[in-house]
Amino acid sequence: MITTNDINRIAALARLELDSSEQQQFARQLQSVLEYSQVLKAMDSGSVKPTTTTCAYCCPLRPDRVEPGLEIGETLALAPEHKEGRHRVPPVMEVE
């Protein structure tokens, strides 16, 4: 049985803030998913052939081909910031 403590732990890992009605709603929904997964687990699927795709058709592949790209000057002209011939981007990680 899924408890509100379980939901709070999952919410903390996902960095979600849930009020009590949301906690109860998610607990019911997650419990329902887990119960259904047990139904699926109990089914005999031994006679079902494995599939490699869920689509009935095959996606055609195109051949790779080299095409000219933009020159560096063109891309720098489109960039919001650049310095010394390079694109400037915001830092990905902030150090405190």
Side-chain angles (χ1 to χ4, degrees):
M1 186 65 158
I2 300 295
T3 67
T4 49
N5 285 342
D6 297 325
I7 295 299
N8 288 335
R9 185 165 186 270
I10 294 167
L13 291 171
R15 291 182 166 75
L16 297 174
E17 292 182 20
L18 305 175
D19 61 33
S20 62
S21 66
E22 290 172 321
Q23 291 169 355
Q24 293 171 2
Q25 177 187 8
F26 288 138
R28 285 191 307 273
Q29 290 173 340
L30 186 55
Q31 185 64 42
S32 176
V33 169
L34 293 175
E35 287 170 2
Y36 188 67
S37 71
Q38 291 303 312
V39 170
L40 294 176
K41 186 177 179 181
M43 293 178 75
D44 178 19
S45 61
S47 62
V48 178
K49 290 183 180 179
T51 59
T52 58
T53 181
T54 57
C55 302
Y57 60 90
C58 179
C59 298
L61 298 176
R62 64 170 177 75
D64 288 337
R65 61 178 176 256
V66 177
E67 295 183 0
L70 296 174
E71 295 293 327
I72 189 69
E74 293 174 287
T75 64
L76 290 175
L78 298 171
E81 289 186 54
H82 57 88
K83 182 178 179 180
E84 299 174 0
R86 293 188 173 93
H87 294 89
R88 289 184 50 93
V89 295
V92 176
M93 297 176 60
E94 293 184 24
V95 179
E96 293 182 17

